Amino acid sequence: QAKAIDALLVHFSTDYVFKGDNKEGYTEEAKPEPQSQYARSKFLGEQRIAETVARRPDWRYYLIRTSRLFGSPAATTSAKPSFVEVILKLAADKPFLEVIDEEVSSPTYTPDLAAATRELILSGRPSGIYHLTNSDACTWYGWAQEILKLAELNVPLKPVPASRFPRLAPRPAHSILLNTKLPHLRPWQEALNEFLISNF
């Protein structure tokens, strides 16, 4: 349909399409190896785009992979809260927190992602896969530490292994998205500080 009206398609995917066994991270050209049903469904979307491009090489598209989104709270109560919102709520309700100190990736501030996506569209860069996340990476525990520090909340925080909170779907241990094509976004810590000042 996008091709039919000569429109540019922007499709967002996830760091979860990678297996997570590369501690150095994954470039745009790295081979996806999704490990969960969610990851496989996202990779299927990527494959459908690749199949379409093979048939229509003149079609314009940007496939953007990102990770760990956070931004202004959703307007509806049914929306899933971000990790930042979850940590702040738990910190207000509990005497201490246990947070998984595994699964390294990069938190991404939605306004930064939106601005970078707009710049990509306006740039006229070639169609293809692009990685867009805020700079630097951390575990869930490292992210929670920074949230509590910036929010000036003195709540004890304990690092725990992923096995402490069993989940049905496997998560990649290391899924840093390496951006080799675009200007790098600011560090996630700086974006997080702006988010907290603006919303809490």
Side-chain angles (χ1 to χ4, degrees):
Q1 292 179 344
K3 175 61 180 174
I5 60 173
D6 195 30
L8 169 68
L9 174 70
V10 177
H11 176 83
F12 290 95
S13 191
T14 172
D15 57 324
Y16 277 26
V17 299
F18 295 110
K19 186 176 182 179
D21 57 353
N22 185 351
K23 294 182 180 181
E24 302 304 315
Y26 295 88
T27 68
E28 296 86 352
E29 308 309 320
K31 179 184 178 183
E33 294 182 77
Q35 301 297 301
S36 67
Q37 188 59 40
Y38 165 76
R40 284 189 287 272
S41 70
K42 296 297 287 185
F43 183 48
L44 180 60
E46 294 189 10
Q47 288 178 307
R48 290 292 175 84
I49 290 175
E51 292 167 2
T52 303
V53 171
R55 296 192 305 268
R56 301 171 181 243
D58 60 330
W59 183 46
R60 294 185 64 227
Y61 76 97
Y62 294 128
L63 193 164
I64 299 173
R65 295 192 185 116
T66 189
S67 65
R68 295 190 182 179
L69 299 178
F70 69 97
S72 297
T76 62
T77 56
S78 61
K80 181 181 177 181
S82 70
F83 181 75
V84 180
E85 294 171 72
V86 170
I87 290 298
L88 291 175
K89 184 178 186 307
L90 290 175
D93 297 338
K94 295 183 176 296
F96 70 95
L97 303 181
E98 294 182 328
V99 182
I100 295 172
D101 195 21
E102 296 179 1
E103 300 167 12
V104 180
S105 192
S106 301
T108 306
Y109 189 34
T110 51
D112 288 355
L113 174 62
T117 299
R118 182 177 185 274
E119 289 176 9
L120 174 59
I121 292 170
L122 296 177
S123 73
R125 288 176 180 268
S127 294
I129 298 172
Y130 291 84
H131 286 176
L132 277 174
T133 68
N134 282 103
S135 299
D136 298 338
C138 60
T139 64
W140 298 107
Y141 173 75
W143 192 3
Q145 273 189 313
E146 192 70 11
I147 293 167
L148 296 180
K149 183 184 80 173
L150 293 175
E152 299 182 347
L153 296 173
N154 188 25
V155 180
L157 190 63
K158 179 182 178 181
V160 297
S163 58
R164 178 70 178 82
F165 300 106
R167 293 162 292 176
L168 293 176
R171 267 70 167 178
H174 301 273
S175 57
I176 301 169
L177 296 175
L178 301 176
N179 171 6
T180 68
K181 299 180 178 180
L182 298 170
H184 289 193
L185 302 186
R186 60 180 165 169
W188 65 264
Q189 298 93 331
E190 182 181 328
L192 173 62
N193 188 52
E194 179 180 302
F195 168 68
L196 292 172
I197 291 172
S198 301
N199 291 277
F200 297 95

